[in-house]
Amino acid sequence: MKTKVMVVFGGVYSSLGKGIVASSIARILTELGNKVSMMKFDPYLNVDPGTLSPLQHGEVFVTQDGGETDLDLGSYERFLGRKITKLSTVTSGRIYKEIIEKERAGGFNGKTVQTIPHVTDQIKSKIYNIIKAEMPDFLIIEVGGTVGDIESIPFVEALGQFRGEYGRDDVLFILCSPLIKVVTSGELKTKPTQHAVKTIGNMGVVPAMLVMRSDVTIDKSTIDKVAMLCHIPVQNIFKSLNLPSVYYLPTELYKQGIHQAIYHYFGLELKSKQNINKWNRYVNRIKNIKNKIKIAMVGKYNDLHDSYYSLVESLKLAAWEYKKNIKIEWINSEDLEKSNANIKNIFRGCHGILVPGGFGSRGIDGKLNAIRYARENKIPYLGICYGMQTATIEFARNVLGLENANTTEIDPNVEHKLFHYIDGRMRLGEQQCVITDKNSLAYKLYKVDMVGERHRHRWEFNNSYIPLFEKAGFKFTAFSNDKEKTVEMAEISNHPFFFGVQFHPEFNSWPGNPDPVFMGFVGAAIKHEKHKL
């Protein structure tokens, strides 16, 4: 059939969870036997979020083909249960960059370049490209920001044009908007949602479906009021209430019949045998989990937990396979550098220590202190990207006696250059690495020789130091599958679980299918659960 397109907008304010709403709809449609693709339109002028601090927009998610993207694409993958590509991410910066490059090359034949039609045409071309490349049954597009934002106007205009070109009955506009509770009276106010519907309608886009966000239960009278004042049928209005887990939302929206409304809108037949029972069984299983283990996350972007969003989700997904919940102990690495820091007390009650990826020198000494504590006290440790590099530096300084060992990222003139540039490029996207030791923890986790994982880093281990490390029990057990043979995995032999990876396994964890690295780490943390720290 012709690809049906749904566009999800957000009204009133940002951080409504419209990405999770879009992802939940995608999960429902996937469970019903459809092929679903997703896109994110981000109105900011950065070409991609690769140069943004995680404290601005959260983590930078990396697609298999090397796209640096918004964290919502990680949610898309986890809910879809499959990998997506750079075709799924579009920013204003990239649109304008492509137009300007074309104009400088004479590609417009002397015409005046304008928002309409040139910017809107470029946006529309991205939609047509993904439909042509992936040929999905459904394409769901999330528009970042909030309805009425000046920077998102070209996207809204382009989508209105797209519906007219593509087919009015083949495009469904959905608005996510909050119902705001007045603290003093307890009344739910619908006026902000009414204004959001009016605002987007004035821009030529009329939503046919509404998903209302609320902290409290929404009664029928409120829904009837919104339906009347927003000119949206009651059967096309749905509730997205606060839930203990984002993975519950597909079940809740399905119970409300959102799939039936979507099928009806597009004139599709819903077969009687189609259901989401498999997803419901997964959700029911995780709902009944009570026991928790505590993992210490030692990072420097802890002020915004979304900086480590995929990491946290990966830990949860792995723990659920063991019928456990995860409690994250957020530890700022700079706090571990203070002279009065009592590291034993800081890590008391933690069953595992994780040092995530990052760039720069800030907080590195605190990470080194955490790693040393984990190594010396036999606490399960996982180092990801920079966390693997700092684990190597800590071992060099405190075991091998190379007191000034470092990475040239921090000290270009250091004597012992453990990590250095090989060719100055950023390694991005999924790349293959070879596990060379079948007696290693790495092979025990993956159970195969060749592993594909996603990377985002510049510095590589200096292989001339390998013999010195391995003589002391620090083993390098996987290398890149190219001529450089750069280190990909490292571990310590006489430790319950001390494992470092140069890549980002958190980008390969999905519900029911967590990455082996997290299965191994969480499993080791559970074994350590009763250890007295």
Side-chain angles (χ1 to χ4, degrees):
M1 69 177 183
K2 183 179 182 180
T3 297
K4 306 303 180 184
V5 179
M6 286 173 278
V7 186
V8 179
F9 300 92
V12 185
Y13 55 78
S14 59
S15 300
L16 276 173
K18 60 183 178 294
I20 298 301
V21 169
S23 299
S24 296
I25 294 171
R27 182 72 252 170
I28 292 169
L29 294 174
T30 299
E31 290 286 321
L32 294 177
N34 300 287
K35 181 180 180 182
V36 183
S37 294
M38 300 189 72
M39 295 184 77
K40 176 72 184 291
F41 286 168
D42 275 309
Y44 50 70
L45 290 175
N46 304 73
V47 174
D48 59 47
T51 58
L52 286 171
S53 165
L55 296 175
Q56 290 282 308
H57 284 272
E59 73 173 10
V60 177
F61 184 82
V62 179
T63 59
Q64 62 172 339
D65 56 348
E68 294 180 284
T69 73
D70 184 85
L71 63 81
D72 278 318
L73 273 79
S75 294
Y76 300 169
E77 285 207 1
R78 283 186 287 274
F79 278 80
L80 285 173
R82 67 174 181 84
K83 299 174 184 179
I84 58 179
T85 70
K86 287 187 282 190
L87 289 175
S88 292
T89 179
V90 180
T91 67
S92 290
R94 184 168 298 281
I95 293 293
Y96 293 132
K97 179 175 182 287
E98 290 172 354
I99 290 172
I100 291 170
E101 287 175 346
K102 181 177 178 180
E103 186 274 334
R104 290 291 84 190
F108 291 99
N109 299 319
K111 295 178 181 178
T112 301
V113 181
Q114 297 176 288
T115 301
I116 301 173
H118 301 106
V119 173
T120 52
D121 282 353
Q122 190 71 3
I123 293 170
K124 287 183 290 183
S125 73
K126 302 298 184 183
I127 305 174
Y128 289 115
N129 287 345
I130 196 170
I131 290 174
K132 182 179 179 180
E134 300 186 4
M135 294 186 292
D137 299 316
F138 292 92
L139 171 62
I140 302 174
I141 303 170
E142 178 194 353
V143 180
T146 307
V147 167
D149 290 346
I150 191 168
E151 62 264 30
S152 65
I153 290 175
F155 287 101
V156 178
E157 172 63 28
L159 288 160
Q161 293 178 17
F162 174 78
R163 187 185 181 212
E165 295 171 6
Y166 191 73
R168 298 184 64 83
D169 295 333
D170 296 312
V171 180
L172 168 61
F173 293 137
I174 303 171
L175 179 66
C176 292
S177 189
L179 293 181
I180 297 173
K181 181 181 179 181
V182 178
V183 176
T184 52
S185 66
E187 183 183 5
L188 278 177
K189 287 295 184 181
T190 65
K191 189 65 72 176
T193 290
Q194 295 175 47
H195 281 301
V197 172
K198 182 178 179 181
T199 298
I200 196 171
N202 289 340
M203 300 168 72
V205 169
V206 179
M209 187 174 289
L210 182 64
V211 179
M212 297 188 299
R213 287 285 288 114
S214 177
D215 296 336
V216 297
T217 302
I218 305 170
D219 59 29
K220 184 179 183 300
S221 63
T222 301
I223 295 175
D224 290 341
K225 179 181 178 181
V226 170
M228 178 180 65
L229 295 174
C230 295
H231 305 156
I232 296 174
V234 169
Q235 60 268 27
N236 282 7
I237 297 178
F238 301 93
K239 299 173 287 187
S240 175
L241 307 181
N242 287 355
L243 297 167
S245 169
V246 296
Y247 301 107
Y248 297 177
L249 188 56
T251 296
E252 295 303 314
L253 291 177
Y254 183 84
K255 287 178 182 177
Q256 296 174 48
I258 198 168
H259 58 299
Q260 295 169 337
I262 290 169
Y263 271 61
H264 182 264
Y265 179 90
F266 289 122
L268 301 174
E269 180 184 355
L270 184 64
K271 297 177 182 178
S272 59
K273 292 184 178 180
Q274 291 177 312
N275 57 59
I276 65 165
N277 289 347
K278 181 180 177 182
W279 183 263
N280 289 340
R281 285 193 294 271
Y282 180 79
V283 169
N284 289 333
R285 181 161 60 87
I286 66 177
K287 277 183 178 179
N288 296 321
I289 297 172
K290 305 297 182 185
N291 295 328
K292 294 182 180 180
I293 60 166
K294 187 189 290 188
I295 300 296
M297 184 84 76
V298 183
K300 61 179 180 179
Y301 305 122
N302 292 358
D303 289 344
L304 181 64
H305 294 174
D306 278 357
S307 301
Y308 304 111
Y309 190 71
S310 289
L311 263 176
V312 172
E313 294 306 300
S314 295
L315 289 168
K316 290 179 185 176
L317 296 173
W320 289 337
E321 296 301 306
Y322 291 105
K323 299 182 180 179
K324 295 279 188 177
N325 280 316
I326 286 283
K327 176 177 172 54
I328 303 293
E329 187 74 19
W330 296 96
I331 298 174
N332 192 313
S333 57
E334 292 178 282
D335 291 341
L336 299 177
E337 298 175 349
K338 298 175 182 178
S339 58
N340 62 346
N342 187 324
I343 292 183
K344 184 176 181 179
N345 283 341
I346 290 173
F347 288 113
R348 187 178 300 278
C350 294
H351 309 120
I353 297 174
L354 192 157
V355 173
F359 293 93
S361 60
R362 182 169 63 87
I364 187 174
D365 288 338
K367 294 178 181 179
L368 293 173
N369 289 337
I371 294 164
R372 183 173 187 174
Y373 186 79
R375 178 178 58 81
E376 292 181 343
N377 291 276
K378 307 294 185 183
I379 301 169
Y381 172 78
L382 175 59
I384 293 176
C385 197
Y386 205 36
M388 186 273 268
Q389 296 183 10
T390 45
T392 310
I393 294 168
E394 187 280 324
F395 192 88
R397 292 182 182 181
N398 297 315
V399 178
L400 301 180
L402 308 178
E403 294 182 4
N404 62 349
N406 214 330
T407 167
T408 56
E409 176 183 2
I410 295 173
D411 185 356
N413 301 312
V414 68
E415 178 184 358
H416 295 290
K417 297 178 174 63
L418 293 189
F419 288 86
H420 59 164
Y421 267 142
I422 288 184
D423 55 16
R425 65 189 172 95
M426 173 83 88
R427 288 182 69 195
L428 278 171
E430 185 172 298
Q431 299 180 30
Q432 299 295 312
C433 54
V434 181
I435 298 176
T436 55
D437 183 353
K438 290 195 174 183
N439 294 317
S440 64
L441 175 59
Y443 191 84
K444 180 181 178 182
L445 295 177
Y446 283 98
K447 300 178 176 62
V448 292
D449 297 324
M450 189 79 73
V451 175
E453 292 278 11
R454 300 183 212 186
H455 296 68
R456 185 176 181 254
H457 68 101
R458 288 191 179 92
W459 281 264
E460 310 278 6
F461 184 74
N462 186 343
N463 287 5
S464 65
Y465 283 89
I466 288 177
L468 182 62
F469 273 80
E470 295 203 327
K471 186 177 180 181
F474 194 108
K475 299 195 301 182
F476 300 95
T477 51
F479 298 83
S480 60
N481 188 34
D482 57 23
K483 64 179 181 179
E484 304 296 347
K485 304 299 179 188
T486 55
V487 168
E488 295 278 8
M489 305 185 206
E491 57 194 72
I492 292 179
S493 303
N494 60 343
H495 193 283
F497 189 99
F498 193 101
F499 196 61
V501 295
Q502 184 61 82
F503 45 81
H504 289 269
E506 66 269 28
F507 299 148
N508 270 340
S509 280
W510 305 330
N513 188 26
D515 191 275
V517 169
F518 292 99
M519 287 298 291
F521 175 59
V522 171
I526 291 170
K527 289 181 180 178
H528 188 75
E529 187 176 358
K530 296 181 180 180
H531 185 75
K532 302 295 183 182
L533 300 180

